[in-house]
Each structure stands twice: as structure tokens, then as C-alpha cells.
Amino acid sequence: MQHNPTAIVIGAGIGGIATAARLAKNGYNVTVLEKNESPGGRCNQIVQDGHRFDIGPTLFLMPEVWEETFASLGEKMGDHLDLRRIDPTYMVRFDDGLQLELTSNIGDMQAQLEAVEKTAFTGFLNYIAEGSKHYKVSLDKFVGRNFFSIFDYFSLKNLPLIFKLKALGKHYRNTGRFFKDERLKAAFTFQNMYLGLSPYDAPATYSLLQYTELAEGVWYPMGGVYAAIEALVKIAEKLGVKFIYNAPAKKLNVEGSQVKTVELGNGKTLEADIFVGNADLPYIYKELLPDPIAAKKLDKKLYTCSTIMFYWGVDKQYPQIGHHNVFLASDYKASFDQIFKEHNLPDKPSFYVHAPARTDPAAAPAGQDTLYVLVPVGHLDAASEQDWDERVNRARKAVFERLSKEMGIDDLESHLKFEIAYQPKVWKERFNLEKGAAFGLSHNFWQVGYLRPQNRHKKYKNLYFAGASTHPGTGLPIVLLSARLTTERILLEKGTITVQNMVNAVAAATD
């Protein structure tokens, strides 16, 4: 009697949940092991005293990728999520008093941009057009497919596209082709921080981020981004996936070219036909595998930045704070240098404030507010002294000062009911993120595509990876693509489906 193949997924982040559900849909018996008490990973939530916070991502982008994920599982996204478009997407504030509302309303954008720079609106249209090309080519030819060899990646068909995508150029410098005002360059490059990158180092390809926001929209699922996690877990369980919480993996036991079992923190071992690592990939190599050489190579790669987070329950409302708010530093370049070169908190940090109750009143008690603050900061660095208590205090002070100066909010501290703060050590301890890098491995030319750690171990042929630090990279919709690509590779290599069937299945799901 033939039994269904078995799979163990280590980590219940969104990539692990989506991979588990896809495998179950294709006939696997799947178990997901999660070290924490609930699913979601960095997409988890905090609920305290009637205040609800998403811990990590707050932006719901690229809805077509989400729709394909639900469709591949036999579901409709609209049956599970109540999405609201946020427009204007942000209020961007500069310390000289300039304010920009980034919006899909072309007339409003024209008036705002031309008030800053006479030719800026024409530059904006050309910039978004370039972002559209980058987005479509990237998704079709690079981000949305697997690469099985270096020749597959640097093929005669792909080489011209790499130059077309400006993968060797820098984002901030390229933006100078469209805008002259330094503040406008900042307003259209700060989105690189979604990927934990500096716009001075990020490939110019990432103009696609602004296109996705303004053309396809920034959305908010009622209930927060965690509502999407809950929906996918519910679907996965419906498909037969078993989730085990408070079950940290301690070691992967190998034999020859195969992983045989996973040992848990309590000493119990579980076996399966295949294993999928959704924990941070460098952590798996360093802590779970007998692979010190590979772990050292990964340690030398570039990592994204980290963040200091404040989750504030407030006993009054501040209606002047919109849903998404960005405060940019006066010395934009110096702030990124301090983050990425010195691994420090900038003297004058940029930061982001999220007020979900503007759209979703259930995020806070009546008459009160739920405020989420993200301050980019350097990751953990063993080579330098890092006083995180001092940096958290300095970050908090900087946020209070700018809210007071620019929005007239001078009583926020006295109205805090509670504060929960995260910093790089917390990211590392709670989510096993190497160096406390909140977004995983960085993305530069040498760490994308085939050059990024692949989604199957080179030696252990039944060990696969899904998540931010493997191909194709970080960001919620990109990690959903990672789940699709990893599942496709598993099904292809284990002989479950043919290449043509895989292509047909993807085409049918996206029609």
C-alpha cells in the first residue's frame, strides 16, 4: 500500500505556512514546527489592553501575488480578507517643513511635485514608467522563477535583461535622472527600507517598489496583516497540515546526502521524506546543520539592517497622525551611512509611524490610539560595543521631539498606557534572525537570483528552504513567491509532476 510522502516544515512564518499548505494540496502529509506559541514569525501580532499591533510588516502590497497563493490552495482571497486601499499611501515629512502626500491621484501629485521642482511631475511620470518595466520584467524573468545553474541565470536571454533592469546601478543615483531636489530623491527611494536596504547601495531595479505602491496600491487587511496569517493557517489546517507550537528545532540529523530526522528542544525526534527550513537560512546552517564551512561563508555575506520598534498603547487619540507616516532625516545619506557602515542608530534618525485605528477602529479601544513606530538601526556587530538601552532611549526621544515639533504632539509620553520595545537582540532571540537583521540577508547584485542562497541544500538533497534569506528574497509577497518556487522545485525533483504540468498549473492559477 502506497503512503503519501511526508514533509516537516521548520518555522511557521508566512513562507513556511504557504509552503506547507501548497505541499498538502499536492498530497503531502505535512507537519509544521514552530518555536513560538503562535504562527506568523515576524508577521505575528501583539494584543494588550484592547490594543492590537502587527509586530512586523504593515503594508499589504502586490495583491495579485496573494491572490495566486489563495487560488493555488483552491480558495479565493476575497472570501478570507477584507482589504481596504490606503490612499494617500503616506504622509512624508521633512524636517524643513515640507510635506508630501504620496497618492495615486495624478492631479494631486502634479500640484505637490511642481510646487517643489518645476519639472518634477514629468520626472515622476517617467520614473513610474521605468518602475513598471522593472516590476514586470523582474517578476516574470527573475523573481518569479527558479534557477538551477549559473548558466541558467546568466543565459544569453537574461544578460540583456540584467542591464535593462539597471541591476548594476544604484537606486539613489539613478533617481537623479528624474528629480534634482534632494528631498524628492529621498521621497522616492526611502521605500528601500522595506527590504532593509540603503538606497545608496540598492540596485536601481528597486524603482519597482514605487510603481507597486502607486499603481497597484497599498492595502490594509481589516484585522491587520496578521489576519492574512490566520487565513492561511486556517486553509492549511483544512488541507490537513498539523502545526506544533512551542517546538523549537535543535538539530537536523543527516546521513549521507539526506536529512533523516529533526531533533526538538525536548529531545524528541521526528522523521520525514523532505524537510523545509523556514527559520532564517543562516541560522539553519549555523545552528541546525553540521556545516560550519558554509555557515562561515554565510556570516561574511551582507545583511540587512535591523530596527528599533515601539508599540505604544495610548489613552487618547491623535487624529493628526495618519495611517502611514514617514519622517525623513535632514542628512539623508549620513543616516544611512551610520546604519549600514557603522551599524549604529543615526544621530538624526528617519522613522515610520503606523496608526492602524485610522482604518480599523478595532485596533484600539474607543477614544484611544494604537501607535507602531519603526526606527531603522544597524544590525548586531560583535566587533563593536553596542549599548542597546542607550539607543532605544535615544530613538524614543528623537520620535517624541519630531512629533512635537512637526505635528504639535507634545503630550504623547504622558498618555502612554504601556510601551513594548524591540531591538536587534530581541529580533535575534525571539525569531532566530542572524545578527538581529530584521529582513534577513541583503540584496545586492551578488546576493540575488542564482547568486543568492538557493532554496535547496547543495549536499542534502531533501532539505529545502523558504523565506526571506533564500531565493528570491525578502518582503511579504516575495516570500509568498519563495513558497511557490520551493514547492515547485520539490514537486519537480521528487517526480510528482512534470515541468510542463508545473507551467500549466502556474498559468491556470494566474488566469
Side-chain angles (χ1 to χ4, degrees), residues 65 128 156 323 393 505:
V65 174
I128 295 300
L156 292 178
H323 190 105
N393 291 334

Side-chain angles (χ1 to χ4, degrees), residues 1 22 27 75 103 128 161 187 244 328 339 367 386 455 468:
M1 182 176 178
R22 285 177 179 269
E75 303 282 341
T103 172
I128 295 300
L161 297 178
I244 304 177
L328 294 180
I339 292 169
Q386 295 175 306
N455 54 13

Side-chain angles (χ1 to χ4, degrees), residues 9 118 148 401 409 459 461 469 485:
V9 178
K118 189 172 291 187
F148 299 99
E401 286 179 350
I409 298 174
K459 179 178 180 180
K461 306 299 185 183
S469 289
L485 296 178

Side-chain angles (χ1 to χ4, degrees), residues 8 67 83 101 110 217 227 256 280 313 326 333 337 345 422 430:
I8 289 177
E67 288 173 348
L83 296 181
E101 276 192 334
Q110 181 174 9
D280 195 30
V326 175
K333 187 177 189 305
D337 286 345
L345 172 70
Y422 278 25
R430 180 165 185 189

Side-chain angles (χ1 to χ4, degrees), residues 353-387:
V353 180
H354 172 51
R358 296 302 164 273
T359 303
D360 187 356
Q368 301 186 24
D369 235 339
T370 292
L371 299 178
Y372 159 121
V373 180
L374 182 156
V375 186
V377 68
H379 61 61
L380 297 175
D381 182 0
S384 63
E385 293 186 10
Q386 295 175 306
D387 184 341

Side-chain angles (χ1 to χ4, degrees), residues 75-391:
E75 303 282 341
K76 291 183 179 179
M77 182 173 71
D79 292 338
H80 296 271
L81 298 179
D82 179 6
L83 296 181
R84 308 293 174 89
R85 185 164 184 170
I86 307 301
D87 196 354
T89 55
Y90 310 91
M91 172 65 79
V92 182
R93 296 176 181 270
F94 302 84
D95 73 344
D96 64 358
L98 176 66
Q99 300 177 23
L100 290 175
E101 276 192 334
L102 300 188
T103 172
S104 60
N105 186 310
I106 295 298
D108 285 354
M109 285 300 295
Q110 181 174 9
Q112 291 183 86
L113 293 173
E114 290 182 347
V116 178
E117 179 184 314
K118 189 172 291 187
T119 60
F121 182 63
T122 300
F124 166 75
L125 294 177
N126 291 331
Y127 183 67
I128 295 300
E130 179 182 273
S132 172
K133 294 177 183 177
H134 287 176
Y135 175 76
K136 292 170 183 175
V137 172
S138 294
L139 207 60
D140 183 40
K141 302 297 183 182
F142 292 96
V143 177
R145 56 160 296 187
N146 281 308
F147 294 97
F148 299 99
S149 74
I150 193 72
F151 304 105
D152 193 18
Y153 185 58
F154 289 114
S155 67
L156 292 178
K157 288 184 178 180
N158 278 354
L159 277 174
L161 297 178
I162 290 173
F163 291 98
K164 183 178 181 180
L165 291 171
K166 300 184 177 180
L168 297 173
K170 303 302 182 187
H171 192 186
Y172 189 86
R173 183 184 303 162
N174 183 63
T175 309
R177 297 177 55 246
F178 305 96
F179 309 103
K180 301 305 177 188
D181 190 285
E182 296 297 320
R183 296 167 300 179
L184 295 183
K185 294 179 188 178
F188 291 101
T189 57
F190 76 82
Q191 294 87 346
N192 289 153
M193 292 304 295
Y194 301 166
L195 307 177
L197 303 177
S198 165
Y200 295 92
D201 299 322
T205 311
Y206 289 121
S207 59
L208 62 84
L209 292 170
Q210 291 71 39
Y211 166 77
T212 62
E213 288 183 350
L214 295 177
E216 299 195 351
V218 172
W219 301 81
Y220 177 83
M222 297 299 281
V225 171
Y226 196 69
I229 297 294
E230 292 176 315
L232 289 172
V233 168
K234 182 179 179 181
I235 293 168
E237 290 178 332
K238 179 181 173 182
L239 292 169
V241 176
K242 179 182 180 182
F243 289 84
I244 304 177
Y245 301 109
N246 298 306
K250 180 180 178 181
K251 181 183 179 183
L252 288 169
N253 296 309
V254 302
E255 185 178 309
S257 63
Q258 299 287 306
V259 174
K260 290 297 184 181
T261 63
V262 57
E263 181 181 339
L264 305 184
N266 62 8
K268 184 179 181 180
T269 60
L270 300 173
E271 62 181 355
D273 296 313
I274 65 162
F275 295 80
V276 180
N278 179 233
D280 195 30
L281 183 144
Y283 171 83
I284 294 174
Y285 274 83
K286 183 177 180 180
E287 302 293 341
L288 303 186
L289 284 171
D291 207 344
I293 295 176
K296 286 182 180 179
K297 288 181 179 178
L298 283 170
D299 188 64
K300 293 179 181 179
K301 289 186 177 292
L302 291 177
Y303 284 74
T304 56
C305 70
S306 190
T307 62
I308 291 172
M309 310 292 300
F310 298 110
Y311 308 100
W312 289 333
V314 187
D315 66 10
K316 66 174 287 188
Q317 289 183 329
Y318 292 95
Q320 61 268 55
I321 300 177
H323 190 105
H324 295 302
N325 311 267
V326 175
F327 296 77
L328 294 180
S330 54
D331 193 335
Y332 192 61
K333 187 177 189 305
S335 70
F336 283 106
D337 286 345
Q338 287 183 290
I339 292 169
F340 289 94
K341 294 181 180 179
E342 301 173 22
H343 302 146
N344 205 339
L345 172 70
D347 295 331
K348 294 184 177 181
S350 298
F351 60 93
Y352 159 74
V353 180
H354 172 51
R358 296 302 164 273
T359 303
D360 187 356
Q368 301 186 24
D369 235 339
T370 292
L371 299 178
Y372 159 121
V373 180
L374 182 156
V375 186
V377 68
H379 61 61
L380 297 175
D381 182 0
S384 63
E385 293 186 10
Q386 295 175 306
D387 184 341
W388 289 108
D389 288 339
E390 181 275 334
R391 292 177 186 186

